[in-house]
Amino acid sequence: MNKTISFLILIGVGVLFRSKINNKEQLNTIKTLILTLALPAVIFSALLKIHLTASLFLPPLIVFVFNILMFLSVRFLLPVFIDKKLDLANRRTLMFMLPSLAPYLSCFPFLAEFSEQSSLGLAAIADTGNKIFILVFLYFLAMYWTYGKQSAIKQPKSSQKFAEVLLQPINLTIIVALVASIFGFNLENIPVYFQDSLSYLRDLLTPTILIFIGLAVKVKGKELKLLLGLLIWRSAVAFLISALLISSFDFDSLATMLLIVAFPQSSCSFLPYAQISVFSDSQDNSNKVFNQSLALSLLAISLPYSSFTIVTIYSLGDFFASPIHLIIFSLIGFLSAGMLLRQKNKSGQKISVAHQP
């Protein structure tokens, strides 16, 4: 809980610091620091730490399947709750953000506090599936959405922009790290001084992201209802999937069952927002693929929402190990989300969150 309060304080620092940020260029400088230095360092380290054996293949696979199920739910089930009033850019943004997980930011602090050390290790292994979903599946999907349907007339320009995106620091980092992993290199093979430099850059990420969220996000009261409705809906889908997992397999450990419930309740990840930023910056306003503002607003609200949900799960303990209780919570969540989302959309207007100036 102390760590969560610290995270929220950092967001508050960003909010208080807004008066010192006089224009969009200054805000973009902070985002550039995140996208070109801190985030690539974290991705590079994470990819070089992945060592999967046959016995540890199942947890990442389960998480990857969860990501896919959530992705399909956003695509086919979510429109039922909001009268299909999402425009294409918002729908794509939600398909990127809602299935993603940020367990290191929102779940791991509580695992360390409430659960066994073995659960923390299992969660770290399971998160590999989430990273593959975000860094591989969503990356190529963004490529397709951005460039896959370009006309033949625009192809030369599209190819140039494709190359520009591919050469972004985040994407180069992913490519280099994956090639290094294929040839058997890992983080321990790198000189110590380079490891130390990576460590310093990694340490920049969390505080910088949280301050950036506080600086950039501007959520109005009516938009808060929309965002809460989306997050409650996401939580309800996660509870339902957790109930199906627990009822389908014979788990003999309460810690494992609570992990299955808590892990999918992690907040939305910053990585899809980073990809959205990279691809959006390569497009003109007439060809909007994503809504950056909606993605950033979801990030800001999902962190405290997920933290509260995970604390509740571990506080009530074995209550959340029952599939029946999870299904009940899921149904309550669907009803609550439906009321919030339909209330927002009574007028028939398309759902949107205003772009940042």
Side-chain angles (χ1 to χ4, degrees):
M1 178 60 73
N2 290 336
K3 189 166 288 190
T4 301
I5 295 174
S6 299
F7 292 160
L8 295 177
I9 288 174
L10 286 173
I11 294 177
V13 169
V15 173
L16 294 174
F17 197 59
R18 280 180 188 170
S19 60
K20 300 297 183 181
I21 303 298
N22 299 318
N23 53 55
K24 186 178 179 181
E25 286 70 26
Q26 291 176 322
L27 190 62
N28 283 339
T29 299
I30 300 174
K31 187 169 75 171
T32 300
L33 173 65
I34 295 171
L35 297 181
T36 60
L37 290 176
L39 192 55
V42 171
I43 292 173
F44 188 76
S45 301
L47 290 177
L48 288 187
K49 284 181 180 177
I50 294 175
H51 300 287
L52 287 179
T53 64
S55 62
L56 295 177
F57 184 71
L58 186 58
L61 178 62
I62 290 174
V63 172
F64 182 80
V65 170
F66 166 81
N67 294 133
I68 294 295
L69 289 175
M70 182 66 76
F71 178 87
L72 295 174
S73 297
V74 176
R75 173 65 180 86
F76 296 107
L77 181 60
L78 182 59
V80 175
F81 289 81
I82 51 181
D83 297 330
K84 300 183 179 180
K85 295 297 183 181
L86 286 170
D87 64 27
L88 186 58
N90 286 336
R91 187 165 69 246
R92 286 170 171 168
T93 301
L94 294 179
M95 290 168 68
F96 253 60
M97 297 302 301
L98 293 180
S100 69
L101 301 172
Y104 283 94
L105 197 62
S106 58
C107 185
F108 279 41
F110 303 110
L111 286 178
E113 183 75 23
F114 294 107
S115 191
E116 303 170 357
Q117 191 66 29
S118 58
S119 295
L120 197 62
L122 185 61
I125 295 167
D127 187 49
T128 305
N130 176 54
K131 284 189 172 63
I132 291 172
F133 171 79
I134 296 172
L135 298 176
V136 179
F137 178 81
L138 291 185
Y139 173 78
F140 283 107
L141 186 62
M143 282 286 195
Y144 172 72
W145 282 342
T146 307
Y147 303 110
K149 296 183 179 180
Q150 297 286 350
S151 64
I153 296 176
K154 295 183 179 180
Q155 192 60 41
K157 185 178 179 181
S158 301
S159 300
Q160 182 181 358
K161 287 185 175 181
F162 178 90
E164 290 175 359
V165 170
L166 196 63
L167 294 176
Q168 291 286 335
I170 291 177
N171 301 327
L172 279 177
T173 299
I174 294 171
I175 294 170
V176 171
L178 289 176
V179 170
S181 298
I182 290 172
F183 286 97
F185 290 97
N186 54 51
L187 202 59
E188 290 73 25
N189 300 133
I190 298 175
V192 174
Y193 53 81
F194 193 72
Q195 292 185 42
D196 290 342
S197 298
L198 279 176
S199 178
Y200 293 136
L201 288 174
R202 289 199 307 269
D203 291 342
L204 283 174
L205 184 65
T206 298
T208 309
I209 285 177
L210 295 174
I211 292 172
F212 173 76
I213 289 173
L215 286 168
V217 72
K218 296 176 182 178
V219 179
K220 299 178 181 178
K222 59 181 181 179
E223 293 166 353
L224 184 60
K225 288 183 180 179
L226 164 65
L227 297 170
L228 282 176
L230 292 169
L231 292 172
I232 291 172
W233 180 90
R234 175 183 185 260
S235 182
V237 175
F239 277 132
L240 184 59
I241 295 174
S242 296
L244 293 175
L245 279 173
I246 292 175
S247 60
S248 300
F249 298 95
D250 185 21
F251 297 105
D252 56 0
S253 168
L254 176 62
T256 301
M257 287 189 283
L258 291 179
L259 176 62
I260 291 171
V261 178
F263 190 92
Q265 299 293 335
S266 300
S267 62
C268 298
S269 173
F270 186 84
L271 292 174
Y273 172 75
Q275 292 175 332
I276 286 172
S277 297
V278 168
F279 283 97
S280 296
D281 290 344
S282 70
Q283 296 294 294
D284 54 43
N285 292 330
S286 63
N287 187 28
K288 192 175 80 167
V289 179
F290 299 105
N291 183 343
Q292 290 190 66
S293 180
L294 175 57
L296 187 60
S297 297
L298 278 170
L299 276 177
I301 304 301
S302 71
L303 178 59
Y305 177 88
S306 293
S307 299
F308 174 79
T309 303
I310 293 170
V311 167
T312 302
I313 290 169
Y314 278 104
S315 297
L316 296 180
D318 56 359
F319 178 86
F320 278 96
S322 167
I324 298 298
H325 293 162
L326 293 175
I327 291 173
I328 292 173
F329 261 76
S330 179
L331 293 175
I332 293 173
F334 283 132
L335 289 173
S336 302
M339 287 190 292
L340 285 171
L341 295 174
R342 288 180 182 275
Q343 180 182 359
K344 164 70 181 169
N345 205 39
K346 273 186 197 175
S347 62
Q349 296 178 348
K350 289 185 178 181
I351 289 177
S352 63
V353 173
H355 289 280
Q356 304 298 336

